[in-house]
Amino acid sequence: MPIIHLPARCDRAAAQALLPELQAALGSGPLQIDASATQQVGQAMLQVLLSARRTGEGAQITPSPELRHTARQAGLEVALFDRSEA
């Protein structure tokens, strides 16, 4: 299972840089996204993560507390994370 590690700052530039890696990895089975070190998350990264969850076999995201908080504020917590992680 491919693992992609997100940076501490997940802004628009990080989302754009990550997109090709995500697109390549999504075709090769289940994908793990490790966001445990993420401290700041922008709307563009939330959109990329949501797309990764809904594409192919879907991605499993390991969130940091900051990512979980931002997703909750945006109304995306249920869509981004497995219920067992809640």
Side-chain angles (χ1 to χ4, degrees), residues 24-40:
L26 280 172
S28 59
L31 174 63
Q32 174 70 36
I33 298 175
D34 181 357
S36 59
T38 300
Q39 298 296 314
Q40 181 181 14

Side-chain angles (χ1 to χ4, degrees), residues 8-23:
R9 183 175 179 170
C10 291
D11 57 7
R12 175 186 240 163
Q16 288 176 325
L18 185 66
L19 194 56
E21 184 179 359
L22 278 172
Q23 288 172 328

Side-chain angles (χ1 to χ4, degrees), residues 27-72:
S28 59
L31 174 63
Q32 174 70 36
I33 298 175
D34 181 357
S36 59
T38 300
Q39 298 296 314
Q40 181 181 14
V41 184
Q43 186 67 34
M45 184 61 78
L46 288 175
Q47 290 173 332
V48 168
L49 293 175
L50 185 60
S51 178
R53 284 285 289 182
R54 294 181 173 176
T55 301
E57 294 182 43
Q60 182 177 357
I61 303 168
T62 304
S64 66
E66 291 81 3
L67 174 56
R68 184 174 292 284
H69 175 74
T70 302
R72 186 177 303 124

